[in-house]
């Protein structure tokens, strides 16, 4: 009970402070709109539906990128986890790439793939690849050595060991990676949309900045955060349901 | 002897991979001859990077990125550390502020970039503000967790010997949080560059991100890729510096070798 009430109370206090400070200091709404303004912007955006196209565009690109990037990440992670020699050649390179700001490739993707959905899907996939790959790879080494020895002693095939021992123990790690990736996929999409797009939440946020419509920007940012939280929750629920042990 | 060859292999293997990648790129470009505004050949890119750094036309951009991310990083780190210390020292503050911080954490920070731009305006301040904001969260969460996870035996001993609050903080809490702190610092360092580049995509007239966007727009893909290489090198150097500092300062803690830190890379 307290765990739900305390954040709610904090949120109420935050909203009140926000509302009254805007009210008392009569802040310019192009700098900081009042919560009521943001609320009405959210209403026009989500209920009347001016934001629907953009939410759908971002969600679609992020979801496709997530699926592609995570399949690649998990696939390569499992593959390298099985073949240790290959891992020594590739894993350090991937880790080094992780220290680099990968989103910097966004403008190039636009040149290569155009301003449509493809470039966002690709960027989201690249961004999702890294956490899933690193987590899968680490998870492949997390199985109990006694269990591995047992399977070896019983003459189990490589495939059987992978399916019965390694993958189950890696599952927890894989889902941790997926949970990081799902939020990053939205981020990747938004960065792509900042640069060049014709729809999507990132495009909306950026073009509203030009019109100084800050309350709608807040609404779009809140929508994006809610999307991120919802997707995170979805992955967490799947995690609990699939990795029940 | 075995350990020496082992080290040599783990050093040479990734180099080999990179060489193979470059050679494939080179071979593909010489074979298929794509237009250079789509895929330039790797030697052109490296030459462009060389002339950009030695000739100096890329240096102001790289310098702008380094300055903005460094200042933003320092500000974000200072705020995160002091807030984490405050919140762990005073439970009242923890109960009221920690949920709020978690609430803000779920906002994808780069999506705020245009808002920061509206608030702070053209110029480097915007980059600094976004970088500080982005760096704050990973460091705050890891510092908070680190400061909370003090060995209860030690903490009791400090209390028994009547150690003051400041003394306990300096000699017990911060040292025991240090390994976690450096994990946070390293993640923040790689986030700093991302934040800076995204902001430069949006508003800047200078900086590596601006150079990438601008040369992509003029279909000067060679410069664009060269600038990306420069950024990648910056990222490598910064995270290597933070890691080296961590190993020097937290000399008593040996991180598990070969397994990359699985600290939650909280959303950007």
């Amino acid at each position: 009970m307290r765990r739900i009430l305390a954040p709610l109370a904090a949120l109420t206090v935050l909203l009140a402070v926000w509302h009254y400070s805007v009210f008392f200091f009569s802040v310019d709404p192009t700098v900081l709109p009042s919560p009521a303004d943001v609320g009405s912007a959210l209403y026009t955006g989500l209920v009347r539906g001016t934001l629907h196209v953009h939410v759908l565009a971002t969600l679609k690109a992020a979801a496709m990128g997530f699926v592609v990037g995570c399949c690649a990440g998990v696939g390569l992670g499992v593959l390298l986890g099985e073949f240790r020699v290959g891992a020594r050649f590739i894993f350090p390179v991937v880790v080094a790439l992780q220290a680099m700001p990968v989103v910097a490739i966004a403008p190039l993707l636009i040149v290569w793939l155009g301003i449509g959905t493809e470039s966002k899907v690709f960027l989201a996939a690249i961004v999702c690849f890294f956490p899933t790959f690193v987590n899968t790879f680490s998870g492949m080494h997390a199985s109990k050595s006694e269990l591995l020895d047992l399977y070896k002693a019983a003459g189990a095939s490589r495939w059987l060991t992978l399916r019965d021992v390694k993958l189950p123990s890696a599952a927890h790690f894989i889902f941790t990676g997926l949970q990081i990736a799902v939020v990053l996929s939205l981020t990747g999409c938004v960065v792509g949309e900042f640069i060049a797009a014709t729809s999507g939440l990132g495009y909306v946020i950026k073009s509203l900045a030009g019109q100084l419509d800050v309350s709608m920007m807040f609404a779009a940012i809140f929508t994006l955060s809610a999307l991120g939280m919802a997707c995170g929750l979805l992955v967490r629920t799947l995690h609990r349901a699939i990795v029940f042990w | 002897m075995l350990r020496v060859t082992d080290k040599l292999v783990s050093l040479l293997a990734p180099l080999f991979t990179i060489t193979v990648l470059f050679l494939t790129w080179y071979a593909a470009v010489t074979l298929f001859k794509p237009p250079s505004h789509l895929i330039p050949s790797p030697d052109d890119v490296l030459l462009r990077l060389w002339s950009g750094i030695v000739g100096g036309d890329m240096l102001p951009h790289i310098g702008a990125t380094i300055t903005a991310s460094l200042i933003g990083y320092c500000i974000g780190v200072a705020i995160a550390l002091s807030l984490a210390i405050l919140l762990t020292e005073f439970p009242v503050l923890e109960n009221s502020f920690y949920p709020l911080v978690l609430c803000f954490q779920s906002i994808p920070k780069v999506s705020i970039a245009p808002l920061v731009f509206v608030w702070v305006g053209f110029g480097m301040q915007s980059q600094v503000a976004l970088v500080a904001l982005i760096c704050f969260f990973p460091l705050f969460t890891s510092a908070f967790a680190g400061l909370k996870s003090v060995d209860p035996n030690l903490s009791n001993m400090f209390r028994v010997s009547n150690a003051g609050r400041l003394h306990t903080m300096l000699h017990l809490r911060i040292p025991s949080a240090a390994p976690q702190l450096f994990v946070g610092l390293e993640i923040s360092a790689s986030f700093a560059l991302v934040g800076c580049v995204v902001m430069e995509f949006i508003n800047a007239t200078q900086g590596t991100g601006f150079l990438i966007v601008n040369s992509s727009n003029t279909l000067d893909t060679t410069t664009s890729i060269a600038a990306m290489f420069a950024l990648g090198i910056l990222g490598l150097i910064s995270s290597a510096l933070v890691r080296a500092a961590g190993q020097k300062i937290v000399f008593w803690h040996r991180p598990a070798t070969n397994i990359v830190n699985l600290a939650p890379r909280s959303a950007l």
Side-chain angles (χ1 to χ4, degrees):
Chain A
M1 197 64 186
R2 265 193 73 185
R3 284 188 55 188
I4 304 172
L5 276 185
L8 267 184
L11 201 65
T12 321
V13 171
L14 181 77
L15 281 178
V17 170
W18 178 7
H19 178 79
Y20 283 106
S21 51
V22 168
F23 183 69
F24 276 123
F25 302 109
S26 48
V27 182
D28 186 351
T30 58
V31 174
L32 185 67
S34 76
D37 291 343
V38 177
S40 77
L42 268 174
Y43 182 81
T44 17
L46 294 180
V47 182
R48 295 241 184 95
T50 48
L51 281 180
H52 282 178
V53 193
H54 304 293
V55 171
L56 277 181
T58 303
L59 259 186
K60 194 176 126 201
M64 279 158 68
F66 177 74
V67 171
V68 174
C70 291
C71 286
V74 171
L76 193 65
V78 170
L79 206 66
L80 289 192
E82 277 295 291
F83 302 102
R84 303 295 290 272
V85 186
R88 305 198 67 171
F89 282 92
I90 299 178
F91 190 64
V93 179
V94 177
V95 171
L97 275 174
Q98 212 188 7
M100 302 175 182
V102 216
V103 290
I105 204 177
L108 264 176
L109 288 179
I110 307 263
V111 170
W112 287 334
L113 301 171
I115 63 169
T117 319
E118 295 87 354
S119 49
K120 279 93 206 170
V121 171
F122 208 84
L123 188 63
I126 293 178
V127 180
C128 287
F129 169 78
F130 289 95
T132 33
F133 169 73
V134 172
N135 277 289
T136 308
F137 183 75
S138 315
M140 290 292 286
H141 300 298
S143 29
K144 288 204 175 103
S145 55
E146 304 98 69
L147 214 53
L148 286 177
D149 287 343
L150 180 73
Y151 268 69
K152 207 178 208 173
S157 70
R158 194 166 199 167
W159 165 243
L160 198 69
T161 321
L162 179 68
R163 201 191 63 190
D164 287 359
V165 184
K166 288 190 175 171
L167 280 184
S169 63
H172 173 67
F173 288 81
I174 295 177
F175 270 102
T176 313
L178 291 184
Q179 205 168 326
I180 302 168
V182 75
V183 184
L184 282 181
S185 71
L186 286 174
T187 310
C189 260
V190 168
V191 172
E193 286 159 2
F194 278 165
I195 292 168
T198 48
S199 62
L201 284 173
Y203 164 75
V204 163
I205 296 173
K206 198 192 162 197
S207 56
L208 288 174
Q211 306 158 20
L212 287 180
D213 186 356
V214 180
S215 35
M216 205 49 163
M217 283 172 85
F218 266 85
I221 291 171
F222 283 156
T223 313
L224 196 64
S225 319
L227 280 183
M229 276 194 264
C231 295
L233 208 65
L234 192 72
V235 174
R236 200 172 310 159
T237 319
L238 279 179
H239 186 171
R240 293 235 180 88
I242 296 176
V243 195
F244 52 83
W245 53 90
Chain B
M1 188 57 210
L2 208 80
R3 289 196 56 186
V4 176
T5 39
D6 202 50
K7 266 205 163 145
L8 205 65
V9 169
S10 55
L11 198 72
L12 286 181
L15 280 181
F16 175 77
T17 316
I18 294 171
T19 321
V20 168
L21 283 179
F22 267 91
L23 285 180
T24 325
W25 178 9
Y26 187 79
V29 169
T30 32
L31 267 180
F32 300 111
K33 297 196 174 50
S36 72
H37 68 267
L38 279 185
I39 304 173
S41 83
D43 51 328
D44 283 347
V45 171
L46 291 180
L47 274 177
R48 179 69 188 85
L49 185 61
W50 178 253
S51 74
I53 289 173
V54 176
D57 69 306
M58 278 189 196
L59 283 183
H61 295 293
I62 298 175
T65 302
I66 294 179
T67 324
S69 4
L70 204 61
I71 299 176
Y73 182 70
C74 291
I75 296 176
V77 163
I79 298 177
L81 270 186
S82 19
L83 201 63
I85 289 176
L86 271 181
L87 291 201
T88 46
E89 276 294 290
F90 302 102
V92 188
L93 290 181
E94 184 194 332
N95 286 332
S96 44
F97 279 105
Y98 192 63
L100 279 184
V101 175
L102 288 188
C103 210
F104 280 116
Q105 196 177 15
S106 58
I107 300 175
K109 256 70 67 189
V110 288
S111 72
I112 304 186
L115 196 61
V116 172
F117 172 52
V118 169
W119 283 337
V120 187
F122 276 108
M124 200 181 266
Q125 316 89 289
S126 285
Q127 276 90 291
V128 170
L130 188 69
V131 169
L133 191 73
I134 285 182
C135 288
F136 170 83
F137 287 95
L139 184 63
F140 174 81
T141 30
S142 61
F144 188 81
L147 289 170
K148 284 238 128 189
S149 63
V150 175
D151 182 358
N153 290 326
L154 279 176
S155 148
N156 282 337
M157 199 183 85
F158 269 69
R159 200 175 308 151
V160 165
S161 45
N162 211 6
R165 259 198 161 152
L166 186 68
H167 190 83
T168 318
M169 180 52 79
L170 286 181
H171 295 274
L172 174 64
R173 284 174 170 249
I174 291 181
S176 66
Q180 289 236 40
L181 275 182
F182 272 98
V183 172
L185 282 173
E186 199 183 320
I187 298 175
S188 291
S190 65
F191 278 17
L193 278 177
V194 176
C196 192
V197 169
V198 170
M199 202 68 213
E200 284 165 356
F201 280 168
I202 292 178
N203 83 333
T205 47
Q206 212 184 25
T208 327
F210 164 76
L211 190 63
I212 294 174
V213 163
N214 200 38
S215 39
S216 293
N217 286 345
T218 52
L219 290 182
D220 182 3
T221 312
T222 319
T223 309
S224 185
I225 297 182
M228 270 168 42
F229 277 11
L231 258 183
I233 295 167
L234 274 187
L236 278 185
I237 293 176
S238 60
S239 69
L241 277 181
V242 176
R243 189 171 307 170
Q247 277 164 2
K248 264 260 154 34
I249 296 173
V250 196
F251 54 86
W252 62 89
H253 182 261
R254 282 272 150 266
T257 46
N258 249 334
I259 289 193
V260 182
N261 65 62
L262 289 174
R265 295 197 156 237
S266 47
L268 272 167

